[in-house]
Amino acid sequence: MPSTTYQDIDPMRAVISLLGASDRISLDVIIRQGLPLSALDKLETYGFSAEELGIVSSSVIKRRLAQGRNLTINEGDHLYRASLAILLANYVFGNQKKASIWLLKPRKALRGRTALQATETTPGLQAVEVLLERLRHGFAA
């Protein structure tokens, strides 16, 4: 049996799984209810921490763990956008290392921001998606 590559994985389904949503509970509902902090651990398997992405600091994570609290709606939404960009890049490049390099390099098309910095807003994520789609079809981005 051939090994699985990132190109064999549907990025949207992977985000749904990463954030703990399912056919029974939508991403919108789970983000509004407050994503569990365990979603941050899943993100780290792709080589990025929530603190590095500007979602939430490690001290806040520790405090929330002690209090049994989840991410806020804004933090969860940012985690969703960053996760989608990371998984899309992994899908396009088929390689986590190449995807990480692309995600962390400032881009003129993103006004000097990295793709991950762009995910701080929904329009920024949309711009990242356009660039990745262009790359997927063989155009320069």
Side-chain angles (χ1 to χ4, degrees):
M1 179 162 86
S3 65
T4 301
T5 66
Y6 284 110
Q7 289 156 333
D8 297 330
I9 299 168
D10 174 9
M12 195 61 205
R13 284 204 179 279
V15 170
I16 289 168
S17 174
L18 181 108
L19 299 182
S22 67
D23 293 336
R24 295 186 327 244
I25 184 165
S26 72
L27 279 170
D28 181 60
V29 169
I30 200 165
I31 289 170
R32 288 177 186 278
Q33 289 176 346
L35 286 168
L37 296 175
S38 60
L40 301 175
D41 295 333
K42 293 177 186 176
L43 177 68
E44 287 194 16
T45 65
Y46 291 91
F48 297 98
S49 71
E51 187 167 30
E52 180 179 22
L53 296 172
I55 296 169
V56 63
S57 70
S58 58
S59 61
V60 169
I61 293 170
K62 287 177 189 174
R63 190 168 48 251
R64 297 248 181 97
L65 279 170
Q67 297 169 343
R69 292 179 41 217
N70 293 331
L71 295 174
T72 66
I73 292 172
N74 289 335
E75 292 162 348
D77 196 41
H78 188 176
L79 176 60
Y80 161 75
R81 291 189 307 269
S83 297
L84 184 55
I86 291 165
L87 290 165
L88 284 170
N90 279 307
Y91 174 76
V92 169
F93 290 98
N95 175 301
Q96 188 172 337
K97 184 175 181 176
K98 289 178 184 177
S100 295
I101 291 167
W102 188 87
L103 289 163
L104 294 170
K105 183 178 178 185
R107 308 250 160 236
K108 287 181 184 177
L110 300 173
R111 298 194 160 189
R113 291 181 184 88
T114 69
L116 290 175
Q117 289 169 332
T119 66
E120 293 170 356
T121 67
T122 299
L125 170 61
Q126 292 167 341
V128 169
E129 289 174 316
V130 167
L131 292 177
L132 286 168
E133 191 63 17
R134 288 177 54 98
L135 285 169
R136 191 169 77 86
H137 290 287
F139 297 104

